[in-house]
Amino acid sequence: MSEKLKKLTGKNKNDYVSAASDLVNIPDIELFKELIDNDGFLFPFVKQNVSNRLSEAVNQDNYKNLFDLMKYYSPDYEDFIISSLVKYANEDITDEMLEKLENGTIDEKTYAAKYFYYIQDSLSIDLLRANAHSNNQYLSANCASTLGIMNVKESYNMAVTGLNNGDDFERLSAVKFLVAYGNKEALPALIEAMKTSAMAENIAGEIPYLENLFNILDNNYQDGLLLLNYIINGLGEILDLSVVFDFELYEVFEKIIHNNDSKTAVVLLNAKEKFNILTENDEYLFDADKDTKNEINDIHKLLKSVNAKELEKYVNEELNEDSPFVYTALDFAKDIYAIRELLKSNNQTIILKTAEILKQLGSFDETARTVALLKVTDINIKAIIRAL
């Protein structure tokens, strides 16, 4: 870390005022780049302090220098740059931002997309739509949220239609767009897309940013539980562990922990197992910050208070092909007869999962294999079952 950056991020007022002033007035683009490169080493409160210091250094005479800083994007300093430009907004600034949104770098486009969230210009709409499904998550999110605040219904309707796309990556792109767009009317369609997608965990990790889990659970308890179950499945593998804060998972588990029904029981069993794994394997928590580690351990302690034996009594109720929790229920089922009944299912994926569970329990005999193979037509699933 350079001396300039130490001064900018330090506690000495004379040093950081001077450093912030130089960064904006020169402008010191290399120092700004170094600041962003050190994002991962600075505490959130330090980055917020720096953002405030830089904002205070902007004035009528130097605000145009911010265009040069837009070469390097960071969500931590987006507000400093955009709020300053919005403060001095005029036709020239808006024209410059339109130019950057059309011909700028990805970083410049990302800042420009956020500018039009506040300065809504119809000339930006086509450019926002053209970048709304960028591979860059910040650019796509900024474009979608700006289209949302501008209430561009055509973009919204196209994304809802995209949820029915056969390509799961395209569906996930539509999900991310709709979440950033911010219209909660899309929630039922998002839930349905999650239920039928091979990337259900990825979709589940987006939905609570549109509507919190508490409201979803209150409005449709089964859908809320299913969403929570997919989030649990994705933790540590697909979803970053920090979402335990974003989704308030400790409080969510507190809310459902005393509910006595089969669906809740299966989800709590899944959660107990997941948080046992997360806390017993250093590989999951190795890179997590202190607060995240503490929260994971607190959730683990909360779930340890739940009696697994009592929960297991409810599992059989979810061992039917119509239950959206059947796959999770199979992981905790002990009743061999009830499990074997699922070999008669019309769902070939359920039959495969059932065969695998029976194999794990040492109960996948030739009779079970024959029953399974008679119901299965998919050659790949047949091959896996034969190999068990």
Side-chain angles (χ1 to χ4, degrees):
M1 184 180 291
S2 69
E3 283 302 313
K4 287 183 181 180
L5 187 56
K6 289 179 182 178
K7 290 180 179 180
L8 181 63
T9 58
K11 297 179 180 179
N12 185 299
K13 184 173 183 179
N14 289 333
D15 283 346
Y16 68 66
V17 167
S18 176
S21 178
D22 284 349
L23 192 153
V24 175
N25 283 314
I26 295 175
D28 194 335
I29 301 171
E30 288 307 309
L31 176 57
F32 189 60
K33 181 180 183 299
E34 184 187 2
L35 174 65
I36 291 173
D37 288 343
N38 280 272
D39 269 356
F41 304 103
L42 300 175
F43 290 112
F45 77 89
V46 173
K47 289 187 277 191
Q48 186 58 56
N49 286 342
V50 170
S51 185
N52 293 339
R53 294 163 186 176
L54 293 173
S55 294
E56 290 171 4
V58 179
N59 56 48
Q60 181 72 41
D61 298 320
N62 63 20
Y63 70 86
K64 290 184 179 179
N65 290 344
L66 300 181
F67 290 128
D68 293 321
L69 301 183
M70 288 171 61
K71 293 176 182 176
Y72 301 104
Y73 177 79
S74 168
D76 294 305
Y77 307 107
E78 177 184 78
D79 186 62
F80 139 63
I81 289 179
I82 298 307
S83 62
S84 298
L85 289 173
V86 167
K87 180 180 179 180
Y88 297 104
N90 56 38
E91 190 174 333
D92 288 341
I93 290 179
T94 299
D95 286 345
E96 180 72 18
M97 288 304 224
L98 283 169
E99 169 63 23
K100 291 191 180 299
L101 188 57
E102 183 173 13
N103 299 313
T105 64
I106 294 294
D107 287 8
E108 289 171 332
K109 288 181 178 183
T110 305
Y111 284 116
K114 180 57 74 172
Y115 174 85
F116 290 108
Y117 184 93
Y118 301 100
I119 306 299
Q120 293 165 27
D121 189 317
S122 60
L123 293 176
S124 69
I125 291 176
D126 286 345
L127 297 171
L128 291 165
R129 292 180 63 186
N131 289 286
H133 296 283
S134 166
N135 290 329
N136 183 284
Q137 62 174 326
Y138 297 114
L139 175 56
S140 60
N142 280 1
C143 288
S145 62
T146 299
L147 288 166
I149 204 70
M150 294 172 72
N151 198 30
V152 181
K153 283 290 188 181
E154 186 178 356
S155 294
Y156 171 82
N157 292 335
M158 286 181 64
V160 171
T161 301
L163 293 176
N164 298 316
N165 195 306
D167 185 302
D168 273 304
F169 288 98
E170 293 295 328
R171 295 174 80 185
L172 181 59
S173 178
V175 168
K176 290 181 176 180
F177 176 91
L178 289 166
V179 169
Y181 188 94
N183 186 342
K184 293 183 180 181
E185 291 178 4
L187 184 61
L190 292 170
I191 296 287
E192 289 306 309
M194 176 190 72
K195 291 177 181 178
T196 59
S197 174
M199 300 177 72
E201 290 82 6
N202 302 76
I203 294 175
E206 300 291 333
I207 293 174
Y209 291 110
L210 177 65
E211 180 64 281
N212 70 67
L213 273 166
F214 294 99
N215 289 340
I216 297 173
L217 285 163
D218 286 341
N219 293 326
N220 188 318
Y221 189 68
Q222 178 170 305
D223 281 351
L225 272 182
L226 187 61
L227 173 59
L228 175 59
N229 202 45
Y230 281 125
I231 289 170
I232 293 165
N233 290 343
L235 280 175
E237 304 291 346
I238 295 169
L239 306 180
D240 191 275
L241 293 179
S242 64
V243 302
V244 296
F245 289 115
D246 296 345
F247 303 162
E248 300 177 272
L249 290 190
Y250 186 96
E251 292 76 14
V252 169
F253 288 127
E254 274 190 320
K255 176 183 176 71
I256 70 169
I257 206 166
H258 299 297
N259 290 1
N260 295 317
D261 65 90
S262 58
K263 293 173 175 56
T264 303
V266 167
V267 173
L268 287 173
L269 283 168
N270 194 24
K272 278 177 70 72
E273 181 176 81
K274 171 62 73 164
F275 281 87
N276 282 339
I277 292 170
L278 293 177
T279 52
E280 290 172 0
N281 292 275
D282 291 340
E283 62 185 281
Y284 288 105
L285 295 179
F286 182 78
D287 291 326
D289 60 51
K290 182 180 178 182
D291 290 339
T292 301
K293 289 179 181 177
N294 289 339
E295 189 74 359
I296 295 289
N297 283 311
D298 286 345
I299 293 173
H300 179 235
K301 290 175 185 176
L302 173 67
L303 293 170
K304 279 182 71 176
S305 67
V306 180
N307 188 324
K309 293 294 184 184
E310 288 299 313
L311 296 177
E312 288 170 1
K313 294 177 182 178
Y314 295 94
V315 169
N316 279 13
E317 294 178 41
E318 298 305 317
L319 291 179
N320 68 82
E321 65 178 306
D322 296 324
S323 170
F325 300 92
V326 62
Y327 295 101
T328 304
L330 276 166
D331 286 327
F332 301 98
K334 300 289 191 296
D335 185 334
I336 300 299
Y337 176 79
I339 297 171
R340 287 172 75 102
E341 282 297 296
L342 280 171
L343 292 174
K344 302 173 185 176
S345 169
N346 293 311
N347 184 313
Q348 298 187 53
T349 309
I350 290 177
I351 294 173
L352 174 58
K353 173 79 171 183
T354 302
E356 291 171 337
I357 294 297
L358 287 170
K359 178 69 174 180
Q360 291 172 21
L361 296 173
S363 296
F364 192 58
D365 54 26
E366 282 306 312
T367 300
R369 188 191 309 275
T370 301
V371 172
L373 290 173
L374 284 172
K375 296 285 291 185
V376 170
T377 58
D378 184 288
I379 58 172
N380 294 315
I381 293 179
K382 273 184 177 290
I384 296 172
I385 291 173
R386 288 195 182 102
L388 288 175

